Amino acid sequence: TRAAMWARLRNRETNHTMMFVNHHGPLPVGTGGRCGGEATAFNLLKLIAVEAYMGDTIVLVGDFNAGPDAPTVKSLNGHLFPVFTGNSFG
């Protein structure tokens, strides 16, 4: 099981708040770990639903150990707007 680290940050000038979440996905790559990619995505979305406040900008980053067609990424894309995805080390 891999955890997510998060923080809610507020801009003092604008009073705007964002929730920043960093997740390093389970291994082996592309599997979603023992419970699968859909469960990994569900747990991340649940964390955001429980800890974010209405109006927060959500920023979810990390090495998900999952490609763009993996169940984790596909499930997240159904709920969050992807801004960037790509490969590391090539």
Side-chain angles (χ1 to χ4, degrees), residues 9-17:
L9 308 164
R10 182 177 54 85
N11 182 306
R12 291 181 183 175
E13 292 179 15
T14 66
N15 208 36
H16 185 81
T17 306

Side-chain angles (χ1 to χ4, degrees), residues 55-67:
D56 283 0
T57 297
I58 307 300
V59 178
L60 175 61
V61 302
D63 173 0
F64 294 84
N65 285 330

Side-chain angles (χ1 to χ4, degrees), residues 1 18 21 24 47 54-56 73 86:
T1 302
M18 67 179 280
V21 182
H24 188 83
L47 168 72
M54 185 66 71
D56 283 0
V73 175

